[in-house]
Amino acid sequence: MDEQVRERIQGEVDGGDVVLFMKGTPVFPQCGFSAAVVQVLNHLNVPFKGINVLEDDSIRQGIKDFSSWPTIPQLYVKGEFVGGCDIIREMFETGELAEMLQTKGVDVQLQA
Amino acid sequence: MSTQRRIEEKLTEAFAPTVLEVVNESHRHAGHAGSPGTGESHFAVRMTSPAFAGLSRIERQRRVYAVLAEELKGPVHALSLSLDGSEGGG
């Protein structure tokens, strides 16, 4: 991967506590899998930054090399890759996601 | 050979699963942007294998992605995975 692209991705990953590389935006996801992760994060009231990979082909390819993970969406918490849609959904259902976020110092509020 | 059959064969060979279900979900995505309209683009896999015991979720999925790398680069646009170690835990 291009070193410049890697640096840009690293900057985005480090740029927030919870960062989601996704297709579309948090308000208008353009893929069902990205939408599912947005829904989970919104449900937990977790503030996050969405990076729309459809706006930049180098990021779209680069993020797959960055994490050695061939699919999008990809969720990062405090700089660490957590997983894609299947993993986030599973972790949400078992309660692990909220627990992990809290352990890492991210505020979580379960909606009543 | 169909893509579905090839996925089943590769996973069986690589993981000797005790449970393997490969579901073609392509029809649910027909007409989406990015859907190639081949009828074999979106799959869901449910698999239990002793090979996953003790591995993290990320590591389980990485192993499946590695086995199906060729398909993911080619005809398969989306692959939904539910993977269990055979110890019964998540």
Side-chain angles (χ1 to χ4, degrees), chain A:
Chain A
M1 181 185 11
D2 193 82
E3 203 44 47
Q4 262 184 325
V5 174
R6 181 182 294 277
E7 274 170 28
R8 274 179 58 209
I9 290 173
Q10 189 68 57
E12 296 287 13
V13 166
D14 294 338
D17 283 352
V18 183
V19 179
L20 179 64
F21 289 81
M22 61 179 291
K23 293 181 179 175
T25 65
V27 177
F28 291 109
Q30 291 188 45
C31 157
F33 301 103
S34 291
V37 176
V38 167
Q39 207 178 358
V40 164
L41 294 173
N42 284 341
H43 190 80
L44 295 173
N45 276 310
V46 172
F48 68 98
K49 183 176 179 193
I51 312 288
N52 182 3
V53 303
L54 297 178
E55 280 180 354
D56 189 328
D57 230 32
S58 63
I59 300 282
R60 184 178 183 170
Q61 277 313 310
I63 193 65
K64 298 178 181 178
D65 300 330
F66 182 83
S67 55
S68 307
W69 194 261
T71 57
I72 292 159
Q74 294 185 13
L75 184 70
Y76 294 78
V77 176
K78 300 262 179 170
E80 193 185 322
F81 176 56
V82 179
C85 177
D86 297 317
I87 289 178
I88 301 305
R89 259 200 294 223
E90 269 181 41
M91 289 179 73
F92 171 64
E93 281 162 14
T94 60
E96 282 166 84
L97 185 64
E99 198 184 303
M100 180 272 286
L101 287 164
Q102 280 166 334
T103 304
K104 288 184 176 278
V106 177
D107 259 347
V108 171
Q109 283 172 3
L110 275 168
Q111 278 173 8

Side-chain angles (χ1 to χ4, degrees), chain B residues 3-17:
Chain B
T3 300
Q4 175 157 2
R5 188 82 198 95
R6 201 157 47 238
I7 291 173
E8 286 165 354
E9 284 195 357
K10 283 191 170 178
L11 293 178
T12 301
E13 194 182 328
F15 300 106

Side-chain angles (χ1 to χ4, degrees), chain B residues 6-81:
Chain B
R6 201 157 47 238
I7 291 173
E8 286 165 354
E9 284 195 357
K10 283 191 170 178
L11 293 178
T12 301
E13 194 182 328
F15 300 106
T18 53
V19 176
L20 175 62
E21 221 182 311
V22 179
V23 181
N24 185 344
E25 298 188 326
S26 306
H27 61 281
R28 289 172 52 192
H29 304 273
H32 283 195
S35 176
T38 55
E40 289 214 285
S41 54
H42 292 65
F43 292 92
V45 172
R46 223 166 59 87
M47 178 161 57
T48 302
S49 163
F52 296 137
L55 297 181
S56 70
R57 288 191 173 87
I58 289 178
E59 194 51 42
R60 288 174 190 178
Q61 290 208 10
R62 276 210 173 110
R63 296 202 179 181
V64 172
Y65 287 145
V67 167
L68 300 179
E70 215 176 295
E71 284 68 29
L72 282 163
K73 270 185 204 143
V76 176
H77 173 83
L79 184 66
S80 175
L81 299 174

